[in-house]
Amino acid sequence: GTRTKSADVERADSGIGQMPARKWRNRASEALSSLQAWEAHRPCTDCGERDLPVETDVQNCNQRRADLCEKCRKRRTERKESVLEFVNTEASYGEDLRIIKEEFYIPMQAAGLLSQEQLLGIFSNIQELIDLNENFLEILQEEIDQAFDQGDDDLMTVCIGEIFLEFVNMLPAFQTYCLQQSSSVNMLNALEKEKELLRIFLNVSQNDNTALRRMNLRSFLMAPLQRVTKYPLLLSRIIKATTEYHPDHGSLREAKSRIESHLEHINMKTKQEGNTWTLRSFRQDSKKKREVINIEMRETALKTVGWLREETRFVMEGSLQLAQPPDGQWVKKGSKTLKFQNMQVLLLVNMKRVSESSLESAEPGPVKDAVLVLIRDKNNGKFHLLREPLRLSNCIVSTDPDCDDTFELIEIRREAFVFRDSDRARTHHWFRQIRRYSRELGSWKKRRNALPNIMISTPHTRP
């Protein structure tokens, strides 16, 4: 017993005395209160400011909301509303497309009211728009459901801009429809005057078919035009409520710019065709004009190669200077003696989609083909090709260390081209991209062990 007591005494003497213990306890409570003070003024997770509401109920199931300042809380609510508005209006638009098909097109076709040619004249590519809307809506809906499932009640993980850019192929489909709109309405008017049965069917439908909400066929046929002009507005609302640190911010701006440029392009085409109507006009700026020119060039390039739009990727596009050396020996003379002309160049890659079922289908499959399309600068309002596209599977691309402001592309057993950009870094970027696809596709690699310099007259080729 005594031994234990002395051990206790020893421990009391050599351990923390009463005074230090009290001090330590004070320090601990000070630390706790300063932690609580920080907690009360901790920075907002969205904007970093420190004017948060003081309630810090850790049990609060909506804890993330408690980490937000009033302004950001409001902004998140606005963003959620804008995202839901985008998705819900896309669903309503899809419903109108379904009505066009099921309440008008199919009955008119079944009753033999119009020939197939007349139906096509009136309904244009409505089926393509229906397919695109269904796929787009399915992905949007999946994203929303997934966000809610993961407890993201503010839908902060939903990236509308990113999804929109995945479906940017919708825009040419809208263009096809819009440009045919005026002739399809004229055709409908003429046929309605001419065919009594058609007139009766359309009247009865409008008055008696409750699915139509007492609207006539013409109103429904306007749905795609109204939808495509509403995209910039809907995207603007989401952008306004999305902080610039959000991963989707850049994609949203890009999506808005792409759609506005397409609308500008449709207006331009409409005027060219002598139609009186135009889509809602957008503020003209040089960036838009340039993008409209790019859309035209992409259309020219796509028509030339004849690939499916959804399997085509425009890897690079822009102005390059091009020279064609008479004998291919440009290296010895250096590029000073070459005559360069300005040229619009597009690098197109044909990708086979892996699957059609989900957004994973946006994951491109293997590269099937890659070409360079060379377009002369615009003449009389039209683009003209310099020659047929250069297939990169038949080309060897190289640079020479002695003149690194150019690169050479040799078409096997045909001609040679020397390219350069006014900006050296961009010249190198073009070179790397073109070389990548020529290597990936070149059948010569199997025969030549992937050593292009065996086939080139110059010893200077970069590895």
Side-chain angles (χ1 to χ4, degrees), residues 218-235:
R218 273 176 209 75
S219 311
F220 281 103
L221 289 175
M222 287 300 288
L225 279 79
Q226 288 160 348
R227 185 62 189 162
V228 76
T229 46
K230 198 153 187 226
Y231 281 134
L233 187 69
L234 293 167
L235 289 166

Side-chain angles (χ1 to χ4, degrees), residues 9 29 79 84 90 178 202 217 238 240 279 300 306 332 343 360 374 431 452:
V9 170
S29 68
R79 185 178 185 280
L84 288 174
E90 187 67 30
C178 292
L202 292 175
L217 174 56
I238 302 174
K240 199 173 159 209
L279 297 169
T300 306
K332 287 175 188 160
M343 191 64 50
E360 272 69 62
L374 310 177
F431 165 66

Side-chain angles (χ1 to χ4, degrees), residues 5 24 28 51 79 88 104 107 119 137 156 198 249 263 271 280 292 299 302 312 340 362 371 404 425 440 444 447:
K5 262 187 185 155
W24 181 83
D51 59 345
R79 185 178 185 280
N88 293 338
F104 291 106
L119 286 168
L137 195 55
M156 291 302 279
L198 176 66
H249 195 267
L263 292 173
K271 282 184 199 125
R280 194 165 66 78
V292 168
E299 283 188 348
L302 208 53
T312 305
F340 282 92
V371 297
D404 68 346
E440 209 165 307
W444 49 266
R447 295 196 304 276

Side-chain angles (χ1 to χ4, degrees), residues 114-346:
L114 297 178
S115 69
Q116 202 51 46
E117 202 179 321
Q118 289 165 334
L119 286 168
L120 184 64
I122 290 171
F123 294 97
S124 184
N125 61 329
I126 200 82
Q127 188 56 54
E128 185 185 12
L129 292 175
I130 288 171
D131 295 343
L132 284 163
N133 164 263
E134 280 177 0
N135 293 339
F136 188 37
L137 195 55
E138 188 185 346
I139 300 299
L140 289 168
Q141 206 55 65
E142 270 174 23
E143 287 286 305
I144 300 265
D145 294 346
Q146 195 179 351
F148 281 136
D149 288 349
Q150 290 171 349
D152 170 19
D153 290 341
D154 293 330
L155 304 182
M156 291 302 279
T157 53
V158 176
C159 293
I160 296 282
E162 215 171 276
I163 301 170
F164 193 96
L165 290 176
E166 287 289 353
F167 281 87
V168 88
N169 284 330
M170 293 190 300
L171 302 181
F174 275 111
Q175 178 176 309
T176 303
Y177 187 89
C178 292
L179 292 177
Q180 236 185 287
Q181 177 63 19
S182 133
S183 65
S184 81
V185 167
N186 292 342
M187 186 185 236
L188 180 60
N189 292 342
L191 288 168
E192 214 178 342
K193 282 195 190 104
E194 187 189 309
K195 295 178 179 282
E196 195 189 356
L197 281 176
L198 176 66
R199 206 162 51 243
I200 292 167
F201 168 75
L202 292 175
N203 277 334
V204 168
S205 297
Q206 187 179 344
N207 295 324
D208 299 350
N209 184 342
T210 51
L212 303 191
R213 316 187 292 275
R214 297 189 81 76
M215 278 161 51
N216 62 20
L217 174 56
R218 273 176 209 75
S219 311
F220 281 103
L221 289 175
M222 287 300 288
L225 279 79
Q226 288 160 348
R227 185 62 189 162
V228 76
T229 46
K230 198 153 187 226
Y231 281 134
L233 187 69
L234 293 167
L235 289 166
S236 289
R237 282 183 198 161
I238 302 174
I239 291 167
K240 199 173 159 209
T242 302
T243 151
E244 60 198 76
Y245 311 115
H246 192 283
D248 198 35
H249 195 267
S251 298
L252 282 164
R253 296 191 85 89
E254 165 78 356
K256 181 173 179 267
S257 172
R258 293 286 283 273
I259 177 77
E260 288 186 352
S261 301
H262 258 278
L263 292 173
E264 209 54 71
H265 180 58
I266 293 170
N267 278 341
M268 188 189 73
K269 286 262 202 197
T270 308
K271 282 184 199 125
Q272 280 173 4
E273 290 174 18
N275 290 334
T276 47
W277 68 273
T278 55
L279 297 169
R280 194 165 66 78
S281 212
F282 294 92
R283 195 166 43 82
Q284 278 274 12
D285 58 37
S286 54
K287 188 167 171 252
K288 295 268 154 44
K289 281 199 175 121
R290 194 170 66 243
E291 178 59 22
V292 168
I293 289 171
N294 288 350
I295 293 169
E296 279 186 87
M297 287 198 306
R298 282 177 220 141
E299 283 188 348
T300 306
L302 208 53
K303 215 172 281 175
T304 308
V305 293
W307 296 345
L308 286 173
R309 195 182 296 276
E310 56 274 16
E311 290 183 0
T312 305
R313 242 181 78 221
F314 293 90
V315 179
M316 285 191 79
E317 54 192 34
S319 181
L320 275 181
Q321 295 177 334
L322 169 140
Q324 285 182 271
D327 54 3
Q329 300 295 318
W330 65 284
V331 174
K332 287 175 188 160
K333 300 179 199 150
S335 56
K336 287 184 183 65
T337 57
L338 293 170
K339 285 193 175 72
F340 282 92
Q341 56 175 322
N342 284 328
M343 191 64 50
Q344 295 295 335
V345 180
L346 292 94

